Every structure is written in C-alpha cells, then in structure tokens.
Amino acid sequence: MRGFLILLSVLLVLEATERNKTYEQLNRETRGIVDKAIEKANEELGKQQHLDYSSILQANDGKRMLHVLLKPTSCEKKTPAVHQGNCKIREKAKPQVSCVACHEDINCFFLREHEKSREAVRNCLGLNVYHPGRGNFMSLIGGNAQKTGCLGCV
C-alpha cells in the first residue's frame, strides 16, 4: 500500500511539472497534438475569439493520451487555427475548452461539460472496463437463459 502511495505521489509531481509548461517548452510531438486540438476546437467550438493553448491537464505517454486546456485569446477567430504566440490568453473569458487526444482521435468539449471530458479520458486509458450495477462480460456468457447474477449462482 505504501509503495502505491509513493508511486501515486511521484506521478502527481511529474504531471504537475508537465501541466505548467508553456507551449514553447513542449516537445515537437506534443506541440503537434496541441496544434491539432487547437484547430479542432476553433473549428467546432470557437466563437469570436481564437482558442489557444493554456495548459496540459493530464498526459499519459504509454496510452498516447493528452488532455489539453484551451482558452480564448485577444486575437480574432479569423487568425490561423494553430498556436498564436502573439495572442494573449484571456484567463477568465469563456468559452474554455478541454480537448482529449487519444491515439489519433481528438475530442473537444466545453470545460463546463467536465463529465464528457472525464469519460473520454477514462475510455482512452481503458478504465471503463467495469461499472458496478451494469452488466459485464461474465453475465453475458450464459446466453438467453441467464440475464443477471453470477455464473455460479444459478
């Protein structure tokens, strides 16, 4: 148990350092993913202001998952869709957008729709395998005769 807590704290520290990086400090591959997220968010959810990179909310290199926060800037939406270094982030302005890049797919949601973002992260990380109260693959093996309960109970 103590080893798990140490591992968890190390992961949180690593995630916090990744989270505070500016766009210029990101590696080339991450910048490419962020640019695609910026493009998709501006296309689907952007209003009058250009949406641009603010921070990384979560990253998992092993699963090729990146969760990015985008915020409105001082630039108009008609500017190019990729990162604009000369545009100032407007911290309190809306809409703020959360984009989850999983492998080659990118899904963007308004930040206020946090449950959709969480669901996309869980799906990417493979954490949606079992939900208490829902059927699982063991309850489906019995065919039509057995719809609920465990296999050994009937």
Side-chain angles (χ1 to χ4, degrees):
M1 181 66 172
R2 223 167 67 181
F4 176 73
L5 292 174
I6 292 170
L7 178 64
L8 184 61
S9 64
V10 167
L11 288 174
L12 288 174
V13 168
L14 288 175
E15 184 177 321
T17 58
E18 183 76 13
R19 183 179 298 176
N20 295 327
K21 285 186 176 180
T22 64
Y23 179 85
E24 290 73 24
Q25 293 172 324
L26 299 174
N27 65 42
R28 191 174 56 125
E29 183 180 334
T30 303
R31 265 190 263 159
I33 295 168
V34 168
D35 283 341
K36 288 178 186 175
I38 291 170
E39 187 175 336
K40 182 161 186 151
N42 276 299
E43 183 181 299
E44 294 177 358
L45 306 173
K47 299 202 180 208
Q48 292 87 7
Q49 301 308 116
H50 174 72
L51 296 169
D52 210 339
Y53 171 80
S54 176
S55 63
I56 293 178
L57 300 174
Q58 193 174 358
N60 185 318
D61 292 334
K63 297 280 186 173
R64 295 180 51 209
M65 189 277 300
L66 187 67
H67 190 184
V68 180
L69 176 63
L70 306 175
K71 292 184 178 180
T73 65
S74 58
C75 296
E76 295 292 322
K77 185 179 174 187
K78 62 184 176 186
T79 59
V82 295
H83 174 71
Q84 297 294 302
N86 58 343
C87 300
K88 297 211 186 247
I89 296 288
R90 296 171 51 217
E91 291 298 328
K92 306 273 183 196
K94 294 188 179 174
Q96 295 184 4
V97 175
S98 159
C99 291
V100 178
C102 181
H103 302 283
E104 301 299 320
D105 296 330
I106 297 177
N107 295 301
C108 296
F109 311 99
F110 290 114
L111 191 60
R112 66 179 178 260
E113 299 173 324
H114 58 274
E115 191 53 43
K116 287 182 181 180
S117 295
R118 284 187 197 152
E119 185 74 17
V121 169
R122 285 193 300 256
N123 284 338
C124 186
L125 296 177
L127 300 177
N128 282 341
V129 176
Y130 174 72
H131 296 284
R134 289 188 188 173
N136 59 28
F137 74 95
M138 290 300 285
S139 67
L140 300 175
I141 291 175
N144 293 338
Q146 183 177 351
K147 295 278 185 193
T148 61
C150 65
L151 293 175
C153 299
V154 178

